[in-house]
Amino acid sequence: MNVIKALLLLLVLGALGAAAFVYLGVFNTAADAPHAALVYELMQTVRERSIAVRASTIQVPPLEDPKLVSEGAEHYAAMCAGCHLAPGVTDSEIRAGLYPQPPNLSQPLDASPAEMFWVIKHGIKMSAMPAWGKTHDNQTIWAIVALVRKLPAMSPEQYRELTRGTDGQEPGEHHHHGDTSVHAGDVPESGEAGEHHHEHGDTLGDAADGQSRGETSQSPEDALWLKDLKAQAVPDAEQVASAFHASLQNGDRTAALALLSADVTITEAGHTQTRAEYASGHLGEDIAYLEGAEVKTISLASMRVGETAIVGTETEIRKTIDGRSKVQSGREMLTLKRENGSWKIVSIRWQ
């Protein structure tokens, strides 16, 4: 009996100790505080074995088709390169702050094609690796695997050629649908990346010039997605995008925020905001800037990607500033997802 009582006491003390460990916040969850070596090795082993067991039954299709590799290159540049890098790229702004740090896929990877497929499709818990299978079909994921297998032997020039826009321009120069009636003038002619400016008038070109100043190139992600957009491909999502633009132009904060998902991200000039951050500052500045402006929609197009929709808008804004008529072109990419039967904006990218 004494042994049983001692064991019960140890169990109770262990439970109390575990509770204290959790509720006192003893464990540091910060990404800039690495795990202890033993914890890291344990988690790495758990992850590797979990992937290997679940990938063992996956049948790998032929992956040598150049068209499949080319398709994978487009998706990789849009979805993966920011974290996993590309040939000739040694680091990125987002990768530097991730823990555990994603593998550099331009270097040889100790993983089978089946394991790569499983990770891309299902993601990894408690890491920055998303489950792309939520929004992409198996064919697309296998295309990415086909590309990843070729990356270590690929030169920067070969990679750039694979990810080149359909009009022969580099991805960052590809002119496409998409952009905003709101932030067309937000990026100044000069300034450090990541600075967030709202001096719209400073970057607007004179209307008489017929051109805009302070042009900014879009990201490869924008180019690769937006080149496939078609007008009225997802009409109800396009209606939500138009309603969002109209609410900003009409100064209706409530209507604008109602179209945003609770976890929406708003990205511009390398700076990303949450819904609350946007509502408390940037939103009011956008509304103020658009007051009295003439906004013309040049193009509005969309595409469906799994359970989401992408809507791109290109606009032209004319506004009189200090007695001078100025004009600016702008581009926007919205990602929308259905919530309770209605499309909600989950991501905004402005330039």
Side-chain angles (χ1 to χ4, degrees), residues 12-33:
V12 171
L13 291 175
L16 290 174
F21 181 84
V22 172
Y23 286 101
L24 293 177
V26 175
F27 183 78
N28 188 354
T29 60
D32 57 359

Side-chain angles (χ1 to χ4, degrees), residues 13 18 44 46 137 143 157 163 203 230 232 263 277 314:
L13 291 175
Q44 187 174 30
V46 169
D137 59 22
E157 292 74 20
T163 56
T203 60
K230 294 180 175 59
Q232 293 297 302
D263 57 355
E277 290 169 337
E314 184 172 6

Side-chain angles (χ1 to χ4, degrees), residues 22 43 62 80-81 95 105 134 149 208 218 234 240 242 258 263 284 333 340:
V22 172
M43 294 181 68
C80 314
R95 175 185 167 84
L105 296 183
K134 291 284 188 179
R149 294 175 68 244
Q218 67 269 24
V234 193
V240 171
S242 297
D263 57 355
M333 182 172 74
N340 299 321

Side-chain angles (χ1 to χ4, degrees), residues 287-311:
I287 289 174
Y289 174 70
L290 286 171
E291 184 177 1
E294 178 186 345
V295 182
K296 179 182 178 181
T297 299
I298 305 300
S299 65
L300 179 66
S302 59
M303 68 181 291
R304 188 180 291 273
V305 183
E307 296 179 356
T308 66
I310 308 293
V311 178

Side-chain angles (χ1 to χ4, degrees), residues 273-347:
Q273 299 181 63
T274 65
R275 186 178 189 276
E277 290 169 337
Y278 179 64
S280 64
H282 206 158
L283 174 58
E285 296 176 12
D286 292 338
I287 289 174
Y289 174 70
L290 286 171
E291 184 177 1
E294 178 186 345
V295 182
K296 179 182 178 181
T297 299
I298 305 300
S299 65
L300 179 66
S302 59
M303 68 181 291
R304 188 180 291 273
V305 183
E307 296 179 356
T308 66
I310 308 293
V311 178
T313 311
E314 184 172 6
T315 57
E316 181 181 272
I317 304 175
R318 291 181 177 269
K319 186 176 177 69
T320 300
I321 300 175
D322 297 329
R324 300 175 65 191
S325 179
K326 303 189 180 237
V327 63
Q328 174 72 48
S329 295
R331 298 186 180 97
E332 169 195 87
M333 182 172 74
L334 300 180
T335 303
L336 301 94
K337 191 171 184 178
R338 285 199 174 277
E339 295 180 3
N340 299 321
S342 301
W343 288 106
K344 292 285 187 178
I345 301 170
V346 296
S347 172

